[in-house]
């Protein structure tokens, strides 16, 4: 333990299981006041809300209430996109100020059909135009983090960034499988840098007033809130089934999809791809990225109260298994990658495992179906028969076709069952 006490941002991260201190996870079934949760009603009406409040006040920060009306504008419509296979639309969501609203642009690909289709909703890192080389997607002009991929200069996307992230977005396959793909550039909601709550949704909805309170929402909460606003729009869409929307995200956007899915029960299915610290990985393990490391590198992601837990994870009133549990009984899929040790694959698996008892209390088949797995699965051997799915694939921190194949199969099972 002495070694841990000296871990600071400048020092090496822990990559050795034997250096993880012993810890006790907060019990899903014991309330803050020490009451024992004995049945599903008590979980849903008491403990679940308490857990969400704790994540809001201690980890991600509290978001404003949903706006009363959904304001949107159709920007473009193309009936024969993807070589005639799909409809492509761009829709602007208008948020906040009436006169000069914040604009977040949805890019939608869907099959030409009269039936409402289920959808995957996911934020993207490089602008909507980065997900597919389709030249008619509007090039996003907002501030971008400079990406390792070519096509981004001085925090601006250039024409050369069209399709830059296409390997992460098998658009044709998603549409052919009968799903709409709805994506939004995450920086439309909140630019990903520490600007002291000035811009993006923070500027539009200035939390608790003149000074920033330790509970005010960080960027992850802002991005998650943006996803809920996109869902407001999808619920009113004549072509997409708002009751069958899966929310998906990679890495910091995987943390975001988990918080969106936990805090907004309208999301029918939740997918975390390599979300790591502050996402699916247990904070108490301190493996790879620790709470101190993430708060130091990305001080704007979480609320200021989260700083209290730098090198002090055992004091957290929650851990990330409770974030997964707060999604129950809705299906959730957690994916890790073998070489993505920074995100602590084992810690991501353990969150799923420790959420399993809640899923079972709520009457689902939990993690692994008949019985929860005793150990992590082998590489590329998904556990996907239950309501919690998990895999660790070979390779690095990324979203690959392999990941999507698992998500599509999992979504088929949960969003397309014939007995609905
Ligand atoms: C960094 C960060 C992670 C995050 C990742 C990403 O590696 O430390 O927490 O998940 O960026 O979003 O790509």
């Amino acid at each position: 333990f002495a070694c841990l006490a000296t871990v600071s941002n400048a020092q090496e991260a822990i990559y050795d299981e034997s250096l993880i201190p012993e810890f006790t996870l907060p019990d899903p079934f014991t309330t803050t006041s020490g009451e024992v949760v004995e049945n599903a009603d008590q979980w849903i009406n008491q403990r679940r809300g308490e857990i969400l409040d704790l994540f809001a006040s201690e980890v991600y920060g509290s978001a404003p209430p949903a706006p009363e009306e959904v304001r949107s504008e159709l920007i473009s419509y193309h009936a024969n996109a993807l070589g005639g296979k799909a409809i492509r639309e761009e829709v602007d969501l208008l948020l906040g100020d009436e006169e000069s609203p914040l604009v977040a642009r949805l890019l939608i690909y869907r099959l030409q059909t009269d039936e409402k289709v289920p959808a995957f909703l996911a934020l993207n890192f490089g602008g909507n135009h980065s997900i597919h080389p389709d030249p008619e997607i509007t090039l996003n002009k907002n501030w971008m983090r400079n990406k390792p991929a070519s096509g981004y200069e001085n925090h601006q996307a250039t024409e050369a960034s069209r399709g830059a992230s296409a390997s992460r977005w098998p658009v044709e396959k998603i549409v052919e499988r009968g799903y709409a793909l709805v994506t939004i550039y995450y920086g439309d909601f909140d630019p990903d840098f520490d600007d002291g709550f000035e811009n993006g949704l923070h500027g539009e909805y200035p939390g608790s007033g003149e000074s920033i309170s330790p509970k005010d929402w960080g960027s992850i909460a802002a991005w998650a809130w943006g996803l809920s606003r996109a869902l407001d729009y999808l619920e009113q869409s004549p072509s997409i089934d708002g009751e069958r929307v899966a929310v998906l995200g990679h890495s910091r956007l995987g943390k975001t999809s988990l918080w969106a899915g936990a805090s907004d029960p309208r999301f029918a299915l939740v997918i975390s791809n390599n979300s790591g610290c502050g996402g699916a990985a247990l904070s108490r393990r301190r493996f790879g990225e620790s709470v101190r490391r993430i708060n130091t590198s990305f001080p704007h992601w979480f609320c200021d109260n989260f700083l209290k837990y730098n090198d002090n994870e055992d004091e957290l009133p929650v851990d990330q298994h409770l974030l997964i549990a707060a999604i129950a009984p809705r299906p959730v899929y957690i994916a890790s990658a073998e070489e993505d040790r920074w995100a602590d694959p084992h810690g991501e698996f353990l969150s799923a495992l420790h959420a399993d008892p809640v899923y079972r209390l709520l009457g689902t088949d939990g993690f692994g179906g008949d019985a929860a797995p005793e150990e992590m699965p082998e590489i590329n051997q998904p556990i996907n028969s239950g309501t919690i799915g998990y895999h660790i694939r070979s390779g690095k921190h990324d979203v690959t076709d392999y990941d999507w194949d698992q998500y599509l199969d999992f979504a088929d099972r949960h969003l397309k069952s014939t007995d609905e």
Side-chain angles (χ1 to χ4, degrees), residues 125 250-253 255 274-277 289 294 297-298 301 342-343 397:
F125 283 99
H250 169 59
S251 207
R252 70 199 69 185
L253 299 179
K255 312 180 205 299
N274 306 179
S275 62
C277 180
E289 187 170 31
I294 204 165
S297 312
F298 305 100
W301 284 0
W342 182 239
H397 188 69

Side-chain angles (χ1 to χ4, degrees), residues 135-157:
E136 288 175 45
I137 303 172
T138 312
L139 188 84
N140 193 301
K141 297 279 169 57
N142 282 337
W143 186 94
M144 305 258 155
R145 286 181 80 86
N146 279 339
K147 307 260 295 172
S150 60
Y152 296 86
E153 286 162 21
N154 301 324
H155 298 290
Q156 294 289 313

Side-chain angles (χ1 to χ4, degrees), residues 103-263:
V103 177
R105 181 158 297 177
L106 276 65
L107 169 67
I108 304 173
Y109 283 101
R110 58 185 171 85
L111 272 189
Q112 295 153 337
T113 155
D114 292 337
E115 277 171 35
K116 284 193 175 196
V117 292
F120 285 94
L121 170 63
L123 297 175
N124 65 69
F125 283 99
N128 293 347
H129 65 275
S130 70
I131 75 143
H132 196 282
D134 184 341
E136 288 175 45
I137 303 172
T138 312
L139 188 84
N140 193 301
K141 297 279 169 57
N142 282 337
W143 186 94
M144 305 258 155
R145 286 181 80 86
N146 279 339
K147 307 260 295 172
S150 60
Y152 296 86
E153 286 162 21
N154 301 324
H155 298 290
Q156 294 289 313
T158 70
E159 284 290 332
S161 64
R162 290 193 174 279
S165 312
S167 68
R168 290 181 172 180
W169 301 89
V171 181
E172 283 82 356
K173 188 192 281 184
I174 296 166
V175 170
E176 274 160 21
R177 291 277 292 257
Y179 296 90
L181 173 67
V182 184
T183 187
I184 308 163
Y185 171 53
Y186 78 137
D188 283 3
F189 289 123
D190 197 39
D192 190 2
F193 63 93
D194 187 14
D195 72 330
F197 280 70
E198 292 277 318
N199 56 20
L201 284 173
H202 289 123
E204 210 59 55
Y205 298 88
S208 38
E210 305 86 69
S211 60
I212 298 166
S213 107
K215 286 206 269 183
D216 278 348
W217 54 340
S219 292
I220 291 174
W223 300 323
W225 193 83
L227 286 165
S228 286
R229 303 295 65 84
L231 182 55
D232 297 343
Y233 167 79
L234 297 177
E235 280 190 318
Q236 298 187 355
S237 156
S239 43
I240 289 171
D241 184 351
E243 293 186 3
R244 289 186 296 155
V245 175
V247 63
L248 171 151
H250 169 59
S251 207
R252 70 199 69 185
L253 299 179
K255 312 180 205 299
T256 303
S257 66
L258 288 173
W259 180 230
S263 57

